[in-house]
Amino acid sequence: MMEKLIIFDTTLRDGEQSPGATMTGDEKVRIAQQLERLGVDVIEAGFAAASVGDFLAIQKISSIVKNSTVCSLSRALERDIEKAGTAISAAARGRIHTFIATSPIHMQMKLHMTPEQVIENAVKAVRLAREYTDDVEFSAEDASRSEPDFLARICEAAIEAGATTVNLPDTVGYAIPEQFGSFVRDIRTRVPNSDKAVWSVHCHDDLGMATANSLAGVHIGGARQLECTINGLGERAGNCPLEEAVMAISTRSDYFQLQCGINTKELVPTSKLVSTVTGFPVQPNKAIVGANAFAHASGIHQDGVIKARQTYEIMRAEDVGWAKDRMVLGKLSGRNAFKQRIRELGIPVTSENEINEAFLRFKDLADRKSEIYDEDIQALFAPSGSQPLSNYYGFVSLDQRSETGERPYAKVVMTEGGGEVTTEAFGNGPVDSVFKAIEAHVKSGATLDLYAVNAITGTSEALGDVVVRLSLGGRIVNGVATDADIIAASAKAYIAALNKLKTVSPMNAQLAEQTP
Ligand code: KIV
Ligand code: ZN
């Protein structure tokens, strides 16, 4: 029997700290359900004290998720811990994750605390957290730049106070794999009660080494929990991507001698869901979940794979969730074939009604597009766009005209609250005219930071996947929408972003204000 590696996913917390990745409560619930299906051991569902929205999302996820532990982050502050404890109270298994910075630079410049005060706060926080749950994680923020003697002292004190997991984050992505692995091993060796807790690593990707550092922390350092996010989403350059760490552990089990409980066939569907919700596209050459990760272009490679796939493939595409048969449905396909495909793709549907509505959208698409790929079907269930979850504004219809030598013009019919409004404008291009028309009515004052269009599949009749990033008063949101008509997709994505600006609370801004 190989030893177990606990997979701790923080897409909904650290991942959400990526500028523009703010998610609505409904979107978080949807991702949490998919993470449970993926088989992650711990879902860090948010930071309960950061905003009412985060608190409610953690509460909801705690009441729905049954097989994964649900966790809330909290600073080492009484108020934070109380909020975290209340938010996870309905969970079948709930964890409080409390943290305080331990590096000289953070203690002096950010916390303005002496090392003794930091230890005192950590111990108090862990003790209070234990009053809410038996499962308490303590993180020494910026551990990789902390003094080893002090770090060992605070970890010992946290375990003594009741921490059951101790996490050593490389908060600023400064570590080098071999050094980080030895560092984790060294700290564990110095802590007399180290066997009373599970040791964990949490690495950021500022130097592109988050996966390598995490794996070194596990293999050399002996950590048995790995913290990661889907697609490597996260603060600044992101966190260790779950899909990379998990596939390294399983593909090279001869080396790591560890196993984790991840259902790897859910990796690609999870990656797509997170990408759709956040509007962060996955680069085509991204390991495991990128569109080209299993594509062979050179003749020599193709020849080798045809003769024996192991010549150039160390993993099987279908084992990480890429569908084998990518072109299956069309105009003549029936409801049963559609339903079967939904099942194969692992799309979470909750009712027959949801399938019926999606089937109507499928038929409508099939009228406009002869070949329907798996990606198109996944897009039919995308949580934003044609069916925005928080829909103060809605898209109804669009009339856009462009002619060489003339200024592009757009008339947009949209809903606001319950009513319908028509708005129009000229612009510098077809998309600009649509955005100007919407703004002529809404007057949000938001700045357009990013506009991106991707073709979901490879043909000219492909669905267009549009991301619109808006910022307003320090808040950054992404709107995502899909349509065979990219101008309509652009209007829908813009409207989805406006809806998010109306509903999502500015977690990062609030935290900056509250940091001691
Ligand atoms: O990067 C970090 O140090 C963190 C902690 C809160 C665990 O995200
Ligand atoms: Zn982090």
Side-chain angles (χ1 to χ4, degrees):
M1 250 322 245
M2 286 193 277
E3 246 188 282
K4 160 120 180 160
L5 179 67
I6 296 167
I7 299 297
F8 175 114
D9 180 278
T10 181
T11 307
L12 297 175
R13 197 277 299 169
D14 218 328
E16 204 203 17
Q17 287 174 219
S18 293
T22 20
M23 302 169 221
T24 64
D26 289 340
E27 288 168 342
K28 286 185 178 180
V29 169
R30 195 163 184 150
I31 290 177
Q33 287 174 309
Q34 179 58 28
L35 290 172
E36 184 180 31
R37 204 169 297 116
L38 178 64
V40 308
D41 299 286
V42 186
I43 298 171
E44 187 160 58
F47 194 157
S51 69
V52 176
D54 244 34
F55 177 86
L56 294 175
I58 299 167
Q59 221 175 24
K60 184 95 190 273
I61 291 166
S62 298
S63 67
I64 291 173
V65 166
K66 295 288 166 252
N67 300 319
S68 310
T69 296
V70 179
C71 170
S72 169
L73 185 70
S74 75
R75 288 164 297 178
L77 295 175
E78 212 175 300
R79 178 183 160 274
D80 270 35
I81 294 164
E82 283 163 7
K83 287 254 180 229
T86 313
I88 59 151
S89 60
R93 280 187 290 267
R95 172 180 296 190
I96 296 178
H97 175 193
T98 185
F99 74 98
I100 193 161
T102 54
S103 63
I105 185 163
H106 276 238
M107 291 192 290
Q108 285 159 25
M109 314 292 279
K110 185 182 83 172
L111 298 177
H112 307 295
M113 284 185 194
T114 63
E116 293 316 311
Q117 285 172 322
V118 169
I119 294 190
E120 200 183 305
N121 275 267
V123 165
K124 266 211 241 154
V126 171
R127 283 207 187 115
L128 180 58
R130 279 298 300 251
E131 290 180 21
Y132 291 90
T133 170
D134 288 344
D135 189 347
V136 173
E137 172 167 339
F138 169 71
S139 277
E141 191 190 10
D142 206 16
S144 56
R145 293 194 299 169
S146 301
E147 245 292 297
D149 276 344
F150 176 68
L151 187 58
R153 268 184 63 213
I154 197 166
C155 290
E156 180 185 354
I159 297 170
E160 180 62 33
T164 44
T165 301
V166 174
N167 183 34
L168 300 179
D170 180 27
T171 302
V172 290
Y174 179 74
I176 304 289
E178 277 194 345
Q179 204 180 36
F180 186 64
S182 311
F183 172 78
V184 173
R185 189 178 50 201
D186 176 49
I187 299 299
R188 284 182 52 232
T189 317
R190 286 172 191 240
V191 172
N193 53 2
S194 72
D195 60 322
K196 304 273 185 310
V198 173
W199 289 79
S200 167
V201 283
H202 171 117
C203 298
H204 281 266
D205 208 30
D206 299 67
L207 292 172
M209 290 188 278
T211 308
N213 283 328
S214 304
L215 294 172
V218 166
H219 187 65
I220 306 173
R224 288 297 173 263
Q225 174 177 283
L226 193 155
E227 302 197 355
C228 44
T229 58
I230 301 298
N231 300 338
L233 204 65
E235 186 89 39
R236 303 182 312 279
N239 290 53
C240 170
L242 180 147
E243 59 279 3
E244 292 181 13
V246 162
M247 288 315 291
I249 296 286
S250 86
T251 307
R252 294 304 310 273
S253 60
D254 61 314
Y255 179 77
F256 290 105
Q257 296 290 320
L258 291 168
Q259 43 123 353
C260 47
I262 296 294
N263 174 5
T264 60
K265 288 196 163 61
E266 293 292 338
L267 287 171
V268 169
T270 314
S271 160
K272 284 182 190 261
L273 177 64
V274 170
S275 169
T276 308
V277 165
T278 58
F280 279 52
V282 175
Q283 73 198 57
N285 59 325
K286 166 82 183 61
I288 321 295
V289 293
N292 291 351
F294 292 87
H296 300 278
S298 96
I300 296 172
H301 287 209
Q302 284 175 350
D303 180 54
V305 169
I306 289 165
K307 288 175 178 150
R309 64 193 292 173
Q310 304 92 306
T311 49
Y312 287 100
E313 282 188 6
I314 57 165
M315 296 166 276
R316 296 187 330 156
E318 53 272 33
D319 288 347
V320 301
W322 286 107
K324 242 176 164 178
D325 189 357
R326 295 164 71 81
M327 191 189 71
V328 281
L329 299 180
K331 199 173 172 167
L332 300 177
S333 307
R335 195 175 169 285
N336 278 346
F338 179 67
K339 208 171 156 181
Q340 167 71 11
R341 193 91 280 246
I342 293 171
R343 218 174 292 126
E344 286 165 7
L345 290 171
I347 295 172
V349 280
T350 44
S351 65
E352 281 296 310
N353 209 16
E354 201 181 342
I355 296 177
N356 292 341
E357 283 173 10
F359 186 61
L360 292 179
R361 294 200 293 279
F362 163 76
K363 281 291 186 188
D364 176 49
L365 179 63
D367 271 342
R368 290 176 284 148
K369 187 173 187 292
S370 52
E371 293 164 346
I372 308 289
Y373 294 83
D374 290 346
E375 289 84 346
D376 297 325
I377 295 173
Q378 267 149 340
L380 291 174
F381 290 87
S384 57
S386 55
Q387 291 193 309
L389 290 168
S390 25
N391 48 4
Y392 181 74
Y393 299 113
F395 174 82
V396 178
S397 65
L398 172 72
D399 174 6
Q400 198 285 315
R401 287 170 214 181
S402 295
E403 199 182 325
T404 311
E406 297 294 324
R407 269 200 100 196
Y409 160 86
K411 181 164 85 179
V412 179
V413 182
M414 56 190 285
T415 52
E416 183 185 26
E420 202 168 281
V421 288
T422 301
T423 175
E424 57 185 347
F426 289 93
N428 293 326
V431 173
D432 188 53
S433 67
V434 169
F435 291 175
K436 286 213 165 87
I438 296 171
E439 275 301 328
H441 174 72
V442 173
K443 297 186 177 56
S444 73
T447 306
L448 178 66
D449 288 342
L450 174 90
Y451 170 71
V453 186
N454 280 305
I456 290 189
T457 50
T459 65
S460 60
E461 58 167 24
L463 284 183
D465 200 2
V466 173
V467 181
V468 165
R469 182 177 298 169
L470 297 180
S471 62
L472 180 66
R475 299 169 65 187
I476 308 169
V477 295
N478 282 333
V480 188
T482 304
D483 198 290
D485 174 344
I486 57 164
I487 308 292
S490 304
K492 290 176 184 179
Y494 197 95
I495 288 171
L498 288 175
N499 280 327
K500 280 197 175 180
L501 272 182
K502 263 201 137 16
T503 56
V504 176
S505 58
M507 175 179 160
N508 292 348
Q510 287 192 9
L511 281 184
E513 281 162 23
Q514 291 166 9
T515 302

